[in-house]
Structures are given as structure tokens and as C-alpha cells.
Amino acid sequence: MSKIARLFVHRLEQLAQREARRNALRNGLLDVTAIEIGGHVVRRYTPKFDTSRLSGDREADVAWVQRHFGGYLQPSPQPFDGIKVESTPSPLALQWASRRKSGSKNERLSDADHEKRAYALSLIGQAGKGPLVSNMIAAIVLARTMETTRVTLASMVRAAAMPAPVIALHAPIIGFEPAIRRLIEVPGFIPGGDLKGLDGEYVYDDMTIAGDEGPGRTYVLLLGHLLRRVAGGNLQRRLLNALRRDYPVVAICEDAKDIPDEITISADINLAGGRLDYPFLVLMLEAIYGPSGRLPLDRWANAYDVHYLTIDDVVLAFRPGRSASEVVAILASLTERNRIAARDGDNDEDESDGSSTSSRSSKQKPGKASHEKSDSGQDSSSGGWRRDKPSGAEVIQPEPWGEDGSPPSLAIETLPGYGKAKTWALDLKADLDDYRASILPWSDMSTKLLLSGPPGTGKTTFTRALCNSLRVPLVVSSVSTWLQGAHLSDVLNRMTRTFAEARAAAPAILFIDEIDGIGKRQPAEREYADYWNGVVNKALELLDGAVKGEGLIVVGATNRPEQIDEALKRSGRLETHIEIPRPDTATLAEIFRHHLGEDLKALVAEGQVPNEGKPGIAEPAPDADNSLSRETALNGGRQ
């Protein structure tokens, strides 16, 4: 588990244990005294039940405490119709209390008694109600967002300690806004005092901003639905009204389009995360079930489709009392349901609210009618947002290596031919090992490659072998998949989501097939120049971002390298260009030798030479066409 996620989960567990001890104190199960240690006044709890009944077996003792004192670890009953409900200690508690009172006030406890008392208090905390699963989910999502944005915990703590920080949080996950709000308002989770959210609806002028001045630290909360409706001068006025009173401002959005420039520019902390991913589920399972909790996840074939899940889906799956296998089975069912729903909804029109459609992008895909709807997650006409559909990319996991360290059948080490491309891949593998060992920085590695060559020369096969050799996921997409969007904004969104999904699986390989489909930038007077120039510019922006970020290897493939904009091939982008030619006779022999393996040795040893008219391996004529494709050969000669 990552350090930040472990810290957040541990903090929630500490707060739950603290609440259990406070409830036990209110209900008469504990005593408390204030003592000074090193200049700090701390609470010292003393159990009022007979600790001699404890066996020392923690699991059995926790069950004993829950069975006898479970009700005393819950909040005290609230008054009803003015009648005060008293909590009565159990007979065991009374027995322990009377025994303690019979002794001298100056009676000193032995070391063994201190140890037993500390053990009993730990049982009280462990037997109480644990942290809410919904808060644990939000904590791990927040930790993943911080890691993705590369914001340190020290920066977050420093911002939280400021009198009036402005913090923006964004992640395209359904349920992100309420989940993060509940988390940051958990008493004690945020340093500097408990937070009370003041809805941004009520800060539209300086006279109505006066919030509840009771205990706690008031902050102004701007959620996505408000930011969609308020913009420009109105939003700036609300920000200033809050900041004049030294109120922290927190903007939480599920759609990046909802975050206006006023927030982005003025924010002290900007956190932008991705969808739920495989590492998120690993962290959740480890947090709840321990290090072995992730084992059922390894048997889930489509675990990398986690981005289809919502926070509510995860809450439904992770219920107390369920085993890790049951949780994973439920997650798999929910993922499949959402995947089918997203697929079936690809061509469905968005629900109309009767508002004008004039705000939609006018830059449509060439040849598309203007009445077609966008399949992006944002409904620009109404400001509404529904779950973004995935980019259409496929995630392929590397094949396992043998127990003796032998590579899988398809690996760069055993792949015949490929020349310079194979050399580049082997160098990258060595560099990746040094990077993982913190010897080589990512910026010094060659991680961007353009593969070109005629159809069937094995460009896709090369990336599959690279995935197995580097032991990292392979995210496969193509420009034709991106161009399925009806509008320019849809195409750009698909491109952005593809890179985001690849970064979420990092270290990973992003393979972009048919990259020549992006085309070249066109003169302004050409028809559809704005459309194609927008696609090229977005590709340049995403490649620049991939260069700056760590963990992403980008491989583009094309049959027509001359059709690619020169800017895509400049330094820092797809700067390494390797051409894969058709295999010659010697290379074809190597390919067949590799795949026939022991069968070829047996044929040679037995001296079986096929005669004319009999089945066998035909020997090519000296002038035969040897342009058989590499992929056909790698597939055993099947066409």
C-alpha cells in the first residue's frame, strides 16, 4: 500500500478507535484522568471491567468485549421527549469499579497492570465500530489523486494550516463530490480543527455569508452543480466574499469543465485524478483484508475494467462481513453491468431538457450531420454531466514468466528479427530496471517510439512482446477509435481519456495504431482545417504531457510515416523512428525455427524430406516470392 493511502486509512482507524473509547467513557465502561507528560496534557483511560478475564488471545478477547460490552461502545441514547436516558454499567463493570475503590488512593500499579490496562484499552478500540467503508474509499481515492498530481502530503498539510486556502479537487468518478465532502468533514481527519461546510449558494453577497459561528472551522464549499451555473463576475464575487472573512474555499467537481479559471488560477492546491483503476482496488482490498486480500483480484480476468465502476458501486461491494472473494465477485458483476450499459448507450441521444443547443461545438467531424449528439460525458447545452464513457482502449496484461525466470513464448528476448527495434526494446528494459532501482531518472530514458513499415510486418506483435518483456500493462488504442466521435470535442475527449487511462496504469505502454490518421496541420483556408488542426494540436499537447510525466511509454505505429505531421516526430515526442521492413529469407527461417521448436529438430534428426505429392514442408524455389508477412509467419503460417 502506498504511504499516503496507508496514512489516511490509519488515521480513519485511529479516529474510529477514539470514538469507541469516548463512547465507553460516556457509558461508564472507562474512567479518565488528565495527566501531564512532557508539557502536554493527555487523557489516561482506565478500564472499569475485570481485566483478569482476558485470555491474551486478541481475537478471542475482542469477541469477548464485543459480546459483553458492545452496546457501551456505541453513542449514548439520546433524550426522548425531555426524558433523559441513563446508561448503566454492567455488573462486571460495577464489580471492577468497587474492587478498585476499596484500595488506597496511593496504590501504585505494577508494570504488569499497566500492560494489561493498555491491552484492555486496545481491545476497546478494536471492538468498536470501524471506519465507514465510504470514508475509506474516499480516502484512498484522495490518496490516488495526490499521487497522480504529484502533490506531497507536506503541501496539503501546509495548505490546510493556512487561514484561507483555496483548494480544487477533480476526478471523473460518479459520487466523487459527496464522498470527498463527507471525508474532509470527518472530525479530526483534517489538521487544524474540524470543518463545517457552508454551501456556496449562501455566499452571493457580503451580508448573507454569515455562517454558523459555533464550534468548528467553517469553509465555503463549491460543488460542481453550483460552478456550472455561476461564472465570471458572480463567481469572483463569491470567492472574495468568502476570502474576506478568512474562510477556506474548497471546490469539488466530477467534471473538469466545471472548474472555472478563477478557481484554477487562485487555488493553492489543484488536485486532478483519474477514474477508479486497478491499483485503487488493490489498495482497498489490502486496507480491509490485509496483504493477502488482493489474491482474489488476480483471478479476475477483466480487473482492468475498473474504470466502469462508481464510488456507489464500490460501497455496495465492500460490506462488513463479506470475504475478499465475495467482494471481487460483486465488483466483477457491477463492472460488467456498467460496461454493457456504456456500450449500449454509445449511440443513444442524451436526455434533452428543452434548452437551446446553440452552445454545442460547431466543429463537427467532416461528413457528420449537425443534428447528431455528442457521446462525451458533458452535455454542454444543459450543463449536466453523466458518467464519461471510456476511451475504447484495450488493456492487456503481460504474460507470466516461468518459475525459472524463462520469458513467455512471445517476448523481445526470444523474438526473431526486428533489428534496431529489438535493440531499442532491450535497451529500454535495462533502463527500466535501473529506473525501478532509482539509479536512472525517467527523463534520461528513450520512451517514445514511432514504428513504421508495410502492413503485416509485426508492429502490433512487437508491442505485445514488449509488454511481456517489460512486465507492464499494454494499453492499445488507435486513431480510428478516437475519430468515432461525432464532434471535435468528442474526439479530443477520447484522446485525453486514452492518455489518462494509460497514466493510471503506469508504468505502462500506450500503443497508438494508425497514428498517421491524425494527419497534418492544414492551411486555414482549407475545408475542415480547424477540425484537423485541433486534432493534431491535441496530440502534440498529450505527447508533451507524456514526456513530462513518468511511467508512460508511447509507441505509435503507421504504414505511412510520410503522412504524419513533422511536429509529432520532433525531439521529446515520437523522436525515435524505426522502420520494420518485410522479413527476408533468413529472417523467415528464424521465425519458423522459433515457432516449430522441438518439432523442427525432430524432423531434421529423422531426415524426413517431403517428396513431391506428399504432405510436408515445401522448400521454396530460389526465385520464390519471400514477402510472406512476419505476422503470418509468427502465427504458424496461417493466413
Side-chain angles (χ1 to χ4, degrees):
M1 184 181 296
S2 67
K3 291 182 179 179
I4 298 179
R6 186 186 301 112
L7 175 66
F8 286 172
V9 171
H10 182 60
R11 182 58 180 164
L12 289 175
E13 292 172 345
Q14 284 183 321
L15 294 173
Q17 293 173 8
R18 184 185 71 178
E19 186 63 21
R21 289 193 296 268
R22 290 181 176 179
N23 290 333
L25 174 65
R26 297 187 190 102
N27 295 329
L29 195 62
L30 297 177
D31 270 342
V32 65
T33 55
I35 62 173
E36 183 177 349
I37 300 178
H40 299 278
V41 178
V42 298
R43 296 183 177 190
R44 182 172 67 184
Y45 291 98
T46 303
K48 295 178 66 175
F49 58 90
D50 190 358
T51 57
S52 63
R53 296 173 178 267
L54 302 178
S55 64
D57 182 343
R58 179 170 290 274
E59 186 174 346
D61 288 341
V62 168
W64 183 84
V65 171
Q66 288 175 332
R67 186 167 59 253
H68 289 280
F69 306 120
Y72 297 90
L73 308 182
Q74 303 302 319
S76 301
Q78 298 298 317
F80 178 72
D81 289 340
I83 302 175
K84 184 177 181 181
V85 181
E86 299 287 349
S87 59
T88 305
S90 69
L92 286 175
L94 291 174
Q95 176 186 354
W96 171 246
S98 61
R99 187 169 66 84
R100 287 184 63 247
K101 290 179 181 178
S102 65
S104 169
K105 291 183 178 181
N106 297 324
E107 181 181 8
R108 301 182 64 85
L109 296 177
S110 65
D111 291 343
D113 290 331
H114 279 295
E115 184 177 350
K116 183 172 292 187
R117 181 172 63 184
Y119 176 65
L121 289 176
S122 70
L123 295 177
I124 292 292
Q126 193 171 350
K129 184 179 179 180
L132 294 176
V133 171
S134 58
N135 286 336
M136 294 183 67
I137 294 170
I140 293 178
V141 167
L142 180 60
R144 291 282 299 152
T145 303
M146 291 175 60
E147 293 165 354
T148 301
T149 318
R150 303 187 185 281
V151 173
T152 64
L153 183 62
S155 301
M156 290 290 291
V157 173
R158 187 165 53 250
M162 295 171 60
V166 178
I167 298 176
L169 301 97
H170 151 64
I173 308 171
I174 297 297
F176 178 76
E177 294 174 12
I180 295 298
R181 176 177 187 170
R182 288 191 297 265
L183 175 67
I184 63 178
E185 293 184 3
V186 171
F189 184 76
I190 299 294
D194 298 343
L195 295 178
K196 299 183 306 176
L198 177 63
D199 198 318
E201 296 278 9
Y202 302 104
V203 296
Y204 51 85
D205 62 57
D206 194 46
M207 299 300 296
T208 58
I209 195 174
D212 184 5
E213 299 296 343
R217 187 183 183 192
T218 301
Y219 76 100
V220 174
L221 179 66
L222 303 175
L223 295 178
H225 70 88
L226 172 66
L227 294 173
R228 278 195 296 269
R229 298 196 307 268
V230 181
N234 289 332
L235 178 62
Q236 187 173 359
R237 184 164 54 253
R238 295 183 190 227
L239 277 174
L240 292 176
N241 289 337
L243 297 178
R244 285 194 192 104
R245 302 175 68 92
D246 284 348
Y247 282 165
V249 176
V250 179
I252 309 175
C253 299
E254 296 173 4
D255 191 345
K257 296 179 181 178
D258 290 341
I259 304 179
D261 293 339
E262 290 87 347
I263 296 290
T264 304
I265 295 172
S266 62
D268 300 285
I269 295 290
N270 264 309
L271 293 180
R275 291 183 178 81
L276 300 183
D277 53 14
Y278 183 87
F280 162 79
L281 278 191
V282 171
L283 292 175
M284 278 297 303
L285 289 166
E286 289 180 348
I288 295 180
Y289 300 103
S292 61
R294 63 169 296 175
L295 295 180
L297 197 60
D298 297 335
R299 297 190 291 271
W300 181 9
N302 298 321
Y304 276 82
D305 286 342
V306 178
H307 55 268
Y308 287 104
L309 293 174
T310 69
I311 288 182
D312 289 343
D313 292 334
V314 183
V315 172
L316 285 173
F318 281 91
R319 305 311 306 149
R322 285 180 181 159
S323 67
S325 298
E326 292 172 330
V327 169
V328 171
I330 293 172
L331 289 172
S333 298
L334 292 171
T335 299
E336 183 65 12
R337 181 202 66 179
N338 294 349
R339 187 188 66 80
I340 294 174
R343 181 198 64 191
D344 294 344
D346 277 346
N347 296 321
D348 292 342
E349 294 187 351
D350 295 341
E351 294 183 3
S352 173
D353 60 353
S355 59
S356 173
T357 60
S358 60
S359 60
R360 285 201 186 105
S361 171
S362 61
K363 298 176 182 179
Q364 303 173 32
K365 185 175 180 180
K368 289 287 183 179
S370 60
H371 67 271
E372 293 188 41
K373 299 270 187 168
S374 166
D375 69 348
S376 66
Q378 179 74 15
D379 181 356
S380 58
S381 62
S382 63
W385 182 80
R386 56 185 171 83
R387 175 172 40 193
D388 287 341
K389 296 182 177 65
S391 67
E394 178 187 6
V395 180
I396 300 173
Q397 296 303 312
E399 298 176 13
W401 285 45
E403 295 182 358
D404 57 351
S406 59
S409 59
L410 186 60
I412 293 296
E413 291 83 353
T414 59
L415 200 63
Y418 285 98
K420 293 181 180 180
K422 182 174 182 178
T423 302
W424 178 87
L426 294 176
D427 289 343
L428 176 59
K429 180 182 179 182
D431 289 345
L432 186 59
D433 291 338
D434 290 342
Y435 168 75
R436 286 168 170 161
S438 300
I439 299 174
L440 183 69
W442 187 268
S443 57
D444 289 349
M445 299 168 55
S446 175
T447 57
K448 307 295 180 292
L449 174 67
L450 175 62
L451 284 176
S452 66
T457 50
K459 297 182 287 295
T460 304
T461 301
F462 174 83
T463 57
R464 292 291 301 271
L466 184 64
C467 163
N468 292 334
S469 293
L470 300 186
R471 305 187 190 188
V472 298
L474 172 64
V475 181
V476 180
S477 187
S478 66
V479 174
S480 61
T481 300
W482 295 345
L483 295 179
Q484 289 175 4
H487 296 77
L488 175 61
S489 60
D490 304 331
V491 176
L492 302 186
N493 284 339
R494 283 177 177 262
M495 296 169 67
T496 302
R497 288 198 293 267
T498 299
F499 276 78
E501 291 169 7
R503 280 194 298 269
I509 304 166
L510 173 58
F511 176 58
I512 308 172
D513 202 5
E514 306 168 354
I515 198 169
D516 53 276
I518 293 176
K520 296 182 178 182
R521 283 171 290 188
Q522 304 294 322
E525 62 272 11
R526 295 283 296 274
E527 189 178 12
Y528 303 121
D530 288 347
Y531 181 94
W532 292 112
N533 291 346
V535 173
V536 175
N537 290 335
K538 188 62 177 181
L540 297 174
E541 174 190 333
L542 293 171
L543 284 174
D544 286 340
V547 170
K548 297 174 184 177
E550 294 187 4
L552 190 57
I553 300 164
V554 181
V555 178
T558 177
N559 303 331
R560 303 176 297 171
E562 69 280 357
Q563 297 297 322
I564 298 177
D565 195 286
E566 290 299 321
L568 290 171
K569 297 185 284 186
R570 288 176 188 162
S571 177
R573 294 161 184 161
L574 300 177
E575 57 187 3
T576 303
H577 179 196
I578 297 177
E579 181 181 1
I580 300 179
R582 294 186 183 276
D584 55 18
T585 303
T587 304
L588 282 174
E590 287 292 331
I591 293 173
F592 282 115
R593 184 180 294 110
H594 170 73
H595 286 277
L596 288 174
E598 297 298 327
D599 294 338
L600 180 61
K601 294 181 181 179
L603 287 173
V604 173
E606 295 174 7
Q608 295 181 357
V609 179
N611 297 323
E612 184 177 358
K614 294 183 179 181
I617 301 177
E619 181 180 355
D623 58 347
D625 180 13
N626 60 7
S627 61
L628 178 66
S629 74
R630 186 187 308 269
E631 288 184 325
T632 302
L634 288 172
N635 288 324
R638 297 186 297 272
Q639 294 288 349

